[in-house]
């Protein structure tokens, strides 16, 4: 036991001595949280658009003014003919061109209808869709202001909407749980796998293996510091998320810590497994990056909703631990639900952990070849 | 020149002797392209909803079948209690509860308007927004179909209708994959450029073989050229390979010039390799170097407009993209590949990349010392 304590202390020294890594280890979650909280959004604000107004009369001017005045658009260019649309898009700034037909207000009055064409730059399909929907909404708003009052009231049903758990639909509420998963993966899995492979690559693993420490003690000793670091980081992110962004925490804190520990164990066992199959740090790093971090970011539902993915990827996402952890954390933090809803996800995580521990133990070689 | 040639030979031997390297070069791009481009989408797929119909009338049934017939919504359960619906949202089975009040049909006929309630799971804001706007448009269409055609009745009192018609250029089917692929290629060459070439030098330092190189008569520029050039070539190859897969594997219609893309890639690679080199001059172990490189690239990628548009960010964050090479390169790639922009459309962005590459490389080379401290 005494030897073991000494070993763990040595590991802690190793990590804390490296000031630069420590700075990043603690700085990164904070910076990422701030980025996700403030900078990364999907909403439309002040998109640059251009108009190609063939008639330039009172109605079109009013309509353009109304669009320009909305917080979604800035009319930053007036085109003279249709040939200018292509270069405008190719320069990149303009997202949409609104084309108004000649003699707009006269046609509107005489024929009862006039035409507006919205040409969008659909290289970014999401953006194009949003831009065109918002423009249509503004135009139909304008249309209603044109209509005289007193026409027959039509039968209409009016939907009243309640947004559960996240009434303002703030994206940071969604990102914080995902961020916790990514940080835990990064520190627990990536750092562990690299630090063990490092001992192998440098040849110091041999020294450890011939020491009176048992193999499992070496592994546990390697893993403990990263576990502590992960927990500290999770708490930092939680506190910041609550104080700066007001992210709610509705469920049980004890349950949350238990699940976080479980996920850390899963990540550590994965890191361990990777270190048993790779011989140098570069391989360990590439395997961790491609096999753990990318899936955690892309396939877990962190940024992109799983339900939008093709069937095959939805199936693939089931073997990614972070996916289940995200369901749990979002459930606890945002929905405030307990174990009676989350037992299935918890069991899956537990099963995965066990699987990888068994696999790594079987793969762990106490002799060098 | 001869020295550099030998150095290059040594580097290439080392790279390809590493068994892990070939999969990284050939398999990673394919996997990344397939997974990233398919996973990174915000489109709405089948959403399960829960129905609480207190009305049980023809109108309410018609409304529900309108929801189902769009293909976006799937009726997953129903009962007479809203609480049951909320329970099913809590359990993650459903995303929305549609509640139709008891007097729905009567109100609609008599008072000309009736209320409906949509309870939406707001945990994922972007999905919730989609669900809301799809539901609203379904209800709006249903409204339009049941009301008498007002405008025909009333054409004389009316000012007239503005007809809006929408055209989507460059990507008429709004195919999200087309948009993602150029960005993913950028991530790909960034990983090759920044991670591998940066890591390579730290590795020599960590293992101690850099001492051996330092005592040889190799000049500083020769050493650095020998380290950068192999991954520069691999990066360029990677880009061509990725473009090929995207073009013929995915059938993405690229309209821009291939050689222009390669030219910009060559410049961009210099900038990120410079960054990798700079990181490696500041670190002692691969773990450190990897950590810093990972951190920088995550920030650059997230802020670079790959997943979320730069225009949506607050102004201060948009300013930060001025020093972000990934942001420039992603924009150039999309402009050239998807819109067919030429050199005169992108020369400003390209110049920015060139300047960046110059600064970073100079900084990295001047920081590199042959003497060990």
């Amino acid at each position: 036991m005494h030897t073991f304590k000494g070993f763990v202390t040595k590991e802690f020294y190793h990590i804390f001595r490296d000031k630069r890594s420590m700075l990043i280890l603690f700085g990164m979650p904070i910076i990422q949280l701030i980025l996700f909280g403030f900078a990364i959004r999907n909403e439309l604000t002040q998109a640059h658009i251009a108009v190609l107004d063939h008639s330039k009369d009172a109605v079109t001017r009013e309509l353009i003014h109304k669009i320009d005045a909305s917080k979604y658009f800035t009319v930053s260019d007036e085109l003279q003919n249709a040939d200018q649309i292509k270069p405008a898009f190719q320069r990149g700034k303009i997202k949409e061109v609104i084309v108004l037909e000649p003699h707009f207000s006269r046609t509107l009055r005489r024929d009862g209808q006039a035409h507006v064409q919205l040409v969008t730059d659909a290289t970014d399909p999401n953006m194009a869709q949003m831009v065109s929907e918002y423009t249509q909404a503004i135009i139909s708003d304008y249309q209603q202001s044109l209509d005289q009052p007193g026409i027959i009231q039509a039968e209409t049903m009016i939907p009243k909407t309640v947004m559960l758990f996240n009434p303002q639909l703030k994206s940071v509420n969604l990102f914080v749980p995902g961020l916790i998963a990514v940080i835990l993966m990064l520190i627990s899995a990536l750092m562990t796998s690299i630090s063990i492979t490092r001992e192998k690559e440098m040849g110091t693993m041999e020294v450890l293996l011939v020491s009176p420490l048992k193999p499992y003690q070496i592994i546990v000793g390697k893993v403990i510091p990263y576990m502590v670091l992960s927990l500290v980081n999770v708490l930092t992110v939680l506190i910041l998320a609550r104080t700066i962004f007001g992210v709610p925490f509705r469920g049980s804190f004890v349950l949350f810590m238990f699940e976080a520990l479980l996920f850390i164990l899963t990540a550590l066992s994965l890191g361990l497994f990777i270190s048993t199959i790779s011989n140098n740090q570069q391989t360990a790093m590439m395997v961790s990056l491609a096999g753990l971090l990318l899936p955690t970011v892309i396939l877990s539902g962190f940024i992109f909703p799983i339900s939008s993915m093709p069937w095959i990827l939805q199936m693939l996402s089931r073997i990614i631990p972070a996916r289940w952890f995200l369901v749990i954390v979002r459930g606890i933090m945002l929905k405030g639900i307990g174990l009676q809803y989350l037992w299935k996800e918890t069991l899956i995580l537990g099963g995965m952990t066990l699987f990888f521990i068994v696999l790594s133990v079987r793969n762990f070689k106490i002799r060098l070849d | 020149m001869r020295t550099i040639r030998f150095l290059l030979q040594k580097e290439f031997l080392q790279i390809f002797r590493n068994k892990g390297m070939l999969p990284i070069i050939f398999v990673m791009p394919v996997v990344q392209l397939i997974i990233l481009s398919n996973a990174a989408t915000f489109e709405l797929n089948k959403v399960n909803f829960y129905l609480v119909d207190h009305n049980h009338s023809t109108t309410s049934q018609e409304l529900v079948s309108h929801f189902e017939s769009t293909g976006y919504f799937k009726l997953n359960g129903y009962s007479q209690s809203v609480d049951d619906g909320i329970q099913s949202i809590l359990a993650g089975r459903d995303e929305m509860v549609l509640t139709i009040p008891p007097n729905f049909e009567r109100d609609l006929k008599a008072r000309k308007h009736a209320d409906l309630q949509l309870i939406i799971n707001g945990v994922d804001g972007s999905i919730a927004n989609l669900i809301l706007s799809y539901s609203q448009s379904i209800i709006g269409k249903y409204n339009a179909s049941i009301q008498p055609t007002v405008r025909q009745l009333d054409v004389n009192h009316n000012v007239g209708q503005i007809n809006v018609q929408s055209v989507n250029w460059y990507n008429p089917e709004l195919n999200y994959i087309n948009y993602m692929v150029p960005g993913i290629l950028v991530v790909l060459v960034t990983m090759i450029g920044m991670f591998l070439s940066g890591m390579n030098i730290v590795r020599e330092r960590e293992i101690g073989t850099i001492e051996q190189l330092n005592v040889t008569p190799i000049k500083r520029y020769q050493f650095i050229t020998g380290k950068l050039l192999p991954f520069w070539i691999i990066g360029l190859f990677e880009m061509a390979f990725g473009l090929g897969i995207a073009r013929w594997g995915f059938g993405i219609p690229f309209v821009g010039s291939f050689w222009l893309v390669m030219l910009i890639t060559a410049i961009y690679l210099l900038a990120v390799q410079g960054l990798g080199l700079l990181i490696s001059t500041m670190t002692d172990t691969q773990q450190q170097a990897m950590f810093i490189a990972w951190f920088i690239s995550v920030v650059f990628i997230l802020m670079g407009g790959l997943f979320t548009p730069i225009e949506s960010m607050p102004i201060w964050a948009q300013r930060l993209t001025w020093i972000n090479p990934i942001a420039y390169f992603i924009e150039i790639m999309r402009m050239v590949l998807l819109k067919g922009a030429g050199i005169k459309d992108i020369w400003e962005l390209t110049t920015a990349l060139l300047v960046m590459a110059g600064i970073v490389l100079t900084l990295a080379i001047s920081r590199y010392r042959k003497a060990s401290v």
Side-chain angles (χ1 to χ4, degrees):
Chain A
M1 206 55 218
H2 186 70
T3 351
F4 180 63
K5 237 169 77 189
F7 179 62
V8 174
T9 322
K10 169 211 153 229
E11 285 299 318
F12 266 109
Y13 277 139
H14 254 314
I15 298 172
F16 286 116
R17 210 172 40 190
D18 181 357
K19 291 275 178 318
R20 269 171 296 207
S21 292
M22 287 307 286
L23 191 71
I24 297 178
L25 219 48
F26 287 105
M28 176 155 68
I30 297 171
I31 292 183
Q32 283 193 341
L33 184 66
I34 289 172
L35 285 186
F36 273 116
F38 287 126
I40 294 161
R41 352 191 130 239
N42 259 327
E43 295 107 54
L44 189 69
T45 42
Q46 299 294 342
H48 289 271
I49 58 173
V51 289
L52 173 51
D53 187 355
H54 287 299
S55 63
K56 295 201 173 61
D57 56 35
V59 175
T60 61
R61 259 192 298 263
E62 211 181 350
L63 185 59
I64 291 167
H65 178 74
K66 203 169 154 67
I67 291 170
D68 193 19
S70 83
K71 67 175 177 175
Y72 304 114
F73 299 109
T74 308
V75 177
S76 57
D77 207 357
E78 276 193 35
L79 307 181
Q80 300 309 319
N81 58 55
D83 294 337
Q84 290 175 337
I85 298 178
K86 199 172 172 188
F89 280 154
Q90 279 180 340
R91 275 193 302 275
K93 241 188 152 35
I94 303 289
K95 300 287 166 209
E96 181 186 56
V97 178
I98 301 176
V99 186
L100 298 148
E101 67 174 342
H103 316 297
F104 194 84
S105 63
R106 213 178 65 204
T107 339
L108 192 64
R109 246 178 298 119
R110 201 187 51 204
D111 304 345
Q113 55 178 332
H115 293 91
V116 179
Q117 197 184 30
L118 308 177
V119 184
T120 57
D121 173 357
T123 39
D124 180 348
N126 281 341
M127 186 65 132
Q129 220 165 2
M130 248 192 310
V131 165
S132 126
E133 265 165 31
Y134 284 39
T135 321
Q136 289 183 24
I138 295 174
I139 294 177
S140 84
D141 232 37
Y142 178 69
Q143 166 93 55
Q144 269 166 18
S145 75
L146 281 182
D147 286 346
Q148 286 154 350
I151 55 166
I152 300 172
Q153 261 289 310
E155 297 174 357
T156 43
M157 34 185 103
I158 303 152
K160 300 233 163 83
T161 319
V162 182
M163 288 291 176
L164 286 179
F165 316 122
N166 185 6
Q168 289 140 343
L169 298 179
K170 285 201 292 192
S171 48
V172 67
N173 288 358
L174 180 75
F175 285 142
V176 164
L179 199 55
I180 292 176
V182 171
I183 291 166
L184 289 183
M185 258 301 162
L186 182 70
I187 297 171
S188 309
L190 185 66
M191 296 314 258
T192 322
S193 69
I194 289 183
S195 102
I196 296 179
T197 336
R198 187 182 145 92
E199 302 263 4
K200 277 204 217 168
E201 194 176 5
M202 309 287 285
T204 44
M205 196 58 167
E206 210 163 347
V207 182
L208 286 177
L209 285 173
V210 295
S211 71
L213 284 166
K214 305 222 164 40
Y216 81 87
Q217 284 179 321
I218 299 177
I219 300 302
V220 175
K222 281 257 158 218
V223 151
I224 284 180
Y226 290 111
M227 209 158 152
V228 174
L229 278 178
S230 313
L231 278 177
V232 173
N233 258 322
V234 169
L235 289 177
T236 324
V237 170
L238 261 190
I239 292 169
L240 280 179
R242 270 200 75 71
T243 49
I244 301 183
F245 300 105
V247 175
F249 193 101
R250 303 204 172 92
S252 139
F253 184 71
V254 178
L255 179 63
F256 173 81
M257 284 318 275
F258 163 74
E259 300 281 3
L261 257 175
L262 178 63
F263 184 67
I264 291 173
L265 276 179
T266 320
L268 288 174
S269 64
L270 272 168
L272 200 60
F273 174 67
I274 289 177
S275 72
T276 61
I277 55 169
S278 44
N279 286 319
N280 57 49
Q281 295 181 62
Q282 233 165 357
T283 319
M285 183 197 79
M286 275 304 177
V287 173
S288 307
L289 274 181
L292 294 182
L293 282 165
L294 271 179
T296 304
V297 175
I298 304 296
L299 288 178
S300 67
F302 171 24
I303 301 178
F304 304 104
I306 294 176
S307 61
S308 301
M309 294 173 195
W311 179 81
I312 273 249
L313 289 184
Q314 291 193 25
M315 290 298 120
L316 196 62
S317 80
R318 284 165 187 264
I319 59 165
I320 288 158
R323 179 214 157 124
W324 305 105
F325 183 63
L326 272 184
V327 175
I328 295 174
V329 179
R330 283 177 185 162
I332 296 176
M333 286 180 66
L334 302 177
K335 295 184 181 176
I337 51 183
L339 210 51
Q340 76 267 28
Y341 289 106
L342 299 170
W343 59 270
K344 200 180 87 188
E345 286 80 7
T346 312
L347 273 185
I348 293 176
L349 276 187
M352 284 179 173
T353 315
L354 211 63
F355 176 74
F356 281 109
I357 288 180
V358 170
L359 214 62
S360 334
V361 168
R362 291 189 49 180
N363 261 334
F364 189 78
K365 297 189 193 74
I366 50 168
R367 270 170 246 282
L368 305 164
D369 5 64
Chain B
M1 210 51 224
R2 245 170 69 89
T3 332
I4 292 185
R5 221 180 63 215
F6 283 126
L7 267 176
L8 281 181
Q9 202 180 3
K10 167 211 161 237
E11 290 296 330
F12 269 115
L13 271 178
Q14 254 185 340
I15 293 170
F16 288 110
R17 208 170 43 190
N18 185 351
K19 290 275 184 316
M21 208 55 213
L22 287 177
I24 289 176
I25 293 174
F26 289 103
V27 181
M28 202 170 75
V30 182
V31 173
Q32 267 200 355
L33 275 174
I34 291 176
I35 292 190
L36 271 173
S37 56
N38 280 302
T41 158
F42 290 106
E43 283 155 27
L44 191 66
N45 242 336
K46 283 261 187 260
V47 168
N48 288 337
F49 75 101
Y50 194 91
L51 176 68
V52 181
D53 185 356
H54 293 301
N55 188 234
H56 296 295
S57 61
T58 345
T59 318
S60 73
Q61 271 156 22
E62 246 176 50
L63 179 68
V64 172
S65 71
H66 262 75
F67 265 91
E68 285 188 295
S69 65
T70 53
Y72 293 110
F73 293 93
K74 183 166 166 268
L75 183 60
N76 193 39
Y78 52 90
S79 74
Q80 291 299 310
S81 137
V82 178
D83 282 341
D84 286 352
I86 292 177
Q87 286 296 318
S88 87
I89 291 185
L90 280 174
R93 285 193 301 271
D94 295 305
E95 296 293 319
M96 178 176 85
V97 179
L98 172 65
T99 312
I100 301 174
N103 301 328
F104 181 70
E105 196 177 45
R106 209 187 60 210
D107 282 354
L108 198 62
K109 294 260 152 60
R111 304 210 335 253
K112 297 295 180 200
H113 72 87
D115 292 335
L116 279 171
Q117 195 188 31
L118 302 173
I119 301 172
I120 299 173
N121 176 11
V123 170
D124 188 334
S126 56
I127 283 282
N129 245 332
L130 279 177
I131 294 176
L132 177 63
S133 67
Y134 279 70
S135 314
Q136 276 174 343
S137 98
I138 292 170
I139 294 170
K141 281 202 188 107
Y142 186 57
N143 271 335
S145 76
I146 56 171
Q147 59 182 258
T149 36
V150 181
R151 305 210 177 273
Q152 282 169 7
L153 289 175
D154 238 31
V155 78
N156 296 328
H157 301 94
N158 224 313
V159 192
Q161 183 163 20
I162 303 174
N163 281 339
V164 184
Q165 182 200 0
S166 196
V167 190
N168 300 308
W169 277 24
Y170 304 115
N171 190 356
E173 278 132 50
L174 297 178
N175 192 343
Y176 202 65
I177 292 181
N178 292 4
Y179 177 62
M180 283 311 291
V181 163
I184 293 167
L185 290 175
V186 170
V187 174
L188 200 67
V189 293
T190 308
M191 283 177 79
I192 299 277
M194 187 138 85
F195 282 73
L196 293 183
S197 59
M199 219 62 62
N200 203 334
I201 296 182
V202 203
R203 190 185 142 95
E204 299 243 17
R205 182 169 314 139
E206 195 175 4
I207 299 179
T209 46
I210 203 156
E211 301 275 303
Q212 292 164 18
L213 282 171
N214 281 342
V215 295
T216 57
I218 296 172
K219 301 241 171 26
R220 205 159 72 169
Y221 78 91
Q222 290 172 327
F223 174 73
I224 289 187
T225 318
K227 281 288 174 197
L228 290 189
L229 206 53
F231 288 103
W232 189 74
I233 295 170
I234 293 177
L236 281 176
F237 171 78
E238 200 70 8
M239 177 55 93
F241 186 57
L243 280 174
I245 295 173
R247 179 70 190 81
W248 288 291
F250 287 71
I252 291 172
F254 290 138
V255 290
S257 145
F258 171 77
W259 294 109
L260 185 59
V261 170
M262 291 313 276
L263 175 74
I264 312 283
T265 312
I267 298 171
Y268 173 75
L269 270 171
L270 286 180
V272 282
Q273 283 192 305
L275 261 180
L277 192 63
L278 194 62
I279 293 170
S280 73
T281 59
M282 296 189 300
T283 49
D284 308 313
T285 63
Q286 292 183 67
Q287 199 178 11
Q288 261 183 10
M290 196 239 37
F291 215 26
I292 296 179
W294 165 253
F295 175 61
I296 291 180
S297 58
V298 164
V299 172
F300 275 2
I301 290 173
L302 287 177
M303 307 278 287
L306 177 60
F307 300 127
T308 54
I310 292 179
E311 290 90 351
S312 299
M313 302 197 300
I315 296 296
W316 62 265
Q318 292 193 26
R319 296 270 153 75
L320 284 180
T321 59
W322 288 351
I323 52 162
N324 182 349
I326 293 185
Y328 286 98
F329 193 36
I330 289 180
E331 199 176 343
I332 295 177
M333 287 284 281
R334 283 179 179 156
M335 285 170 81
V336 175
L337 288 176
L338 302 176
K339 295 191 239 178
I343 186 80
K344 65 176 189 306
D345 297 307
I346 57 167
W347 69 268
E348 281 170 333
L349 296 168
T350 313
T351 318
L353 272 184
L354 257 177
V355 171
M356 248 182 246
I359 293 175
V360 174
L361 271 179
T362 322
L363 215 62
I365 294 174
S366 69
R367 273 193 61 102
Y368 173 74
R369 296 267 172 280
K370 270 189 88 172
S372 53
V373 273

